Amino acid sequence: MLRIGIDVGGTFTDVTALDTSTGLFHVHKLPSTTDDQSIAVADGVRAVLRLAGADPAEVGYLGHGTTVATNTVLESNGARTALVTTAGLRDVVEIGRQQRPDLYDLDADKAPPLVPRSQVHPVVERMSAEGKVLEPLDADDLAAVIDRVRADEPEAVAVCFLHSYRNAHHELEVAERLRAALPSVYVCASAEIAPVFREFERFSTTVVNAYVGPRINRYMSRLAERIRSTGVPVEPKVIGSSGGMMSLASVGRYPVTTLLSGPSAGVVAASQVAGQAGFGDLITFDMGGTSTDVCLVRDGRALVSAQRRINDRPVRTPSLDIHTVGAGGGSIARVDTGGALEVGPSSAGSQPGPAAYGCGGVEPTVTDANVLRGRLNPEHILGGALAVDHPAAARAVDRIATAMGTDRAAAARGIGRIAAVNMAGAVRKVSVEAGEDPRDYVLVAFGGAGPLHAVEVAREVGMSTVLVPPNPGTLCALGLLVTDIRTEFAKAVLADVADSDLDKLNEALHEVHGAAADWLAAEAPSDVDTTITGVARMRYARQNFELSVALPQQVIDAARFDAAALAELTAAFHDQHTKSYGFAHHDARVQIVEVQLTPAAVVDKPELPAVEGGTDPSGALLGHRPVDFDDTGELETPVYDRSGLRAGTVLPGPAIVEQLDTTTVIPPSSTARVDRCGNLIIELEQ
């Protein structure tokens, strides 16, 4: 059987296939088709089947990571969306939180609302904070609202009522009425998407879900059709933001859960590869053509965030705690009006791409700088599949040199240096700013450009070890082969951790446990093991934010709290609060704000095959070329073919290691060794 993983990035689409009968991996890389990602996905499937010499009927699994939802929000080209809400709450999404993105910037602009005020329609109804009906739905008013929504000619409608996390009856009734009246319109209710408290965040999440819903559903339909056209007999599964696979139907209902689809696959794969190499504490460093994603993994488990912001809009769904910066191989360099060099966040993308690709690009990029510095092959990349236009790269970087009044070499070095500093800031964001010392972690570098810059970034933040997997440029695609089928269900509770609130706590837990069990019944294959795990989001009374505390497994299995479980949870919360903030209030009231359960179907995790042993790298030597390094300038440097390196080989820096999907730079004052699985372990002298 063949298992295929396909990850779509801003520049390239990566494909990895695993032949489960032989344990062999087959990888392929092709330019992304930005207008319709499914074209490159289908082409990638056909290409990897040819590489494997396999028939489409042999494919038993196909996983996919996509950026459609993310790009829709970032590019503001989603559906024409209407919002139906409780009378008096018409401006919740536009007002938001009174928080400045920059405290001292009096001219800071907020992102415009995804739903203009003219398309926000209030409905006469009201629920109390306890879920009691204060004002029933008015049938005549609702009929008039539906007529006004119809007149807007929306593609999507979000329904968000006050306190619907307590009692969703009104909200769900209105959503069903809208679906009946507007059968071609995508309709979603906050009780279906994010049944949690805090109106602004709940409303924002539901609006984003509606905004991306039609486009995601159209894409999923095209994807399924194109995969069928390849002859592959299985329906694709898509990875969600929290690192779990979902069916196309599940994605269609909850498209907001795919906002970090692609990056989460890389974190899963990096954790798997690093774990096999003996590293449990790591920071993933995924540098592609457009952006760099970093995430902290502790004891083999990536940190999960309950909420994040996408293009300055809060989204209240669980996601891996990934931080993204606009720094990639295609990041464009420019000189600002003050004469300072800037790199990113704008990118040349795949069309036209960096000037060095010879596809008409003229803007200077990080890739062009790497070509001129000899860090990238000056003649070809992608194993010879793509010729490098060295003169075009030189012309592009010369524009920066002229603007700065310096020479070409200094301009190229400056571009690389600024990019490294930008990415080091992202690493500090997930480590130092979270109370973690990056020196205690290993930097796992992947993506098409990650191994090019990883050692520089590690040195910038004081890290001493870098791990480069065997196929770093396509690691996200590998992640799609080792990711469990998983999602999350949450329910607001707002109850004291006390016997007096046991009924309220158990009612919420029973509801969310039923949803998790139903999801597993629909999504999990019959021949795999399933689990349900969960957390309680807890706080001291009157605190603004919560901490996540693992629910005891016996509570989840029984779908019931008891006095002993509450005492155990309280003690764990005090410990977590002490770890996070340095103190605990043992006499204060403790509350559970929300319970969240994670149903999962556990897939087999293939191990990387062991490589042959050998200590002599001469058989892998391709030659020498001059390479520019930050500290030493240009040095004559050996260049190796990674496929010829053997387990036990040691490469003292400087050295360059080339392969189909990336290039690894080993600067002076660092040494690389090849472990039993073919990983490059680079040790730095700090």
Side-chain angles (χ1 to χ4, degrees), residues 18-84:
L18 169 65
D19 187 332
T20 57
S21 61
T22 64
L24 294 178
F25 287 92
H26 306 275
V27 299
H28 183 68
K29 202 175 184 77
L30 70 160
S32 296
T33 47
T34 52
D35 290 339
D36 183 355
Q37 293 182 0
S38 66
I39 296 174
V41 171
D43 290 345
V45 169
R46 295 186 182 97
V48 83
L49 286 173
R50 287 194 296 270
L51 280 174
D55 187 87
E58 296 178 50
V59 178
Y61 174 88
L62 197 153
H64 176 39
T66 176
T67 57
V68 170
T70 309
N71 293 342
T72 299
V73 177
L74 294 179
E75 297 167 9
S76 299
N77 59 2
R80 177 179 171 84
T81 305
L83 171 62
V84 177

Side-chain angles (χ1 to χ4, degrees), residues 329-566:
S331 292
I332 296 171
R334 66 181 60 80
V335 177
D336 68 14
T337 55
L341 177 63
E342 296 179 343
V343 178
S346 57
S347 172
S350 58
Q351 295 293 331
Y357 288 178
C359 297
V362 296
E363 299 282 2
T365 67
V366 174
T367 293
D368 298 314
N370 280 322
V371 166
L372 297 185
R373 298 176 70 191
R375 297 156 66 90
L376 273 176
N377 192 307
E379 297 177 358
H380 57 77
I381 56 175
L382 296 180
L386 180 62
V388 168
D389 191 338
H390 192 280
R395 289 192 298 270
V397 174
D398 280 347
R399 296 170 59 185
I400 295 295
T402 301
M404 295 182 65
T406 188
D407 59 37
R408 180 187 297 166
R413 191 177 302 138
I415 291 170
R417 178 70 179 148
I418 295 298
V421 169
N422 289 344
M423 293 181 289
V427 173
R428 291 191 183 95
K429 182 77 175 178
V430 301
S431 57
V432 177
E433 293 187 25
E436 300 288 342
D437 188 341
R439 294 173 296 184
D440 297 333
Y441 289 79
V442 172
L443 190 69
V444 180
F446 55 102
L452 271 165
H453 297 270
V455 174
E456 292 171 320
V457 171
R459 180 170 285 125
E460 188 74 24
V461 297
M463 302 174 74
S464 59
T465 305
V466 172
L467 185 151
V468 182
N471 297 110
T474 57
L475 191 73
C476 288
L478 171 64
L480 297 164
L481 302 181
V482 299
T483 301
D484 295 333
I485 300 169
R486 189 177 75 239
T487 193
E488 287 78 24
F489 291 93
K491 177 67 177 177
V493 186
L494 288 174
D496 286 351
V497 186
D499 291 349
S500 58
D501 275 351
L502 260 178
D503 288 344
K504 186 187 295 186
L505 289 166
N506 282 325
E507 180 182 352
L509 180 61
H510 185 267
E511 179 180 335
V512 75
H513 190 278
D518 290 345
W519 187 87
L520 278 177
E523 298 275 331
S526 58
D527 58 343
V528 302
D529 294 333
T530 61
T531 65
I532 299 179
T533 57
V535 297
R537 304 204 189 280
M538 304 176 68
R539 68 178 184 182
Y540 293 121
R542 295 184 296 278
Q543 275 187 315
N544 276 337
F545 297 101
E546 306 83 48
L547 294 173
S548 295
V549 179
L551 286 170
Q553 194 60 46
Q554 66 268 22
V555 169
I556 298 172
D557 293 341
R560 184 177 181 278
F561 292 101
D562 57 24
L566 295 185

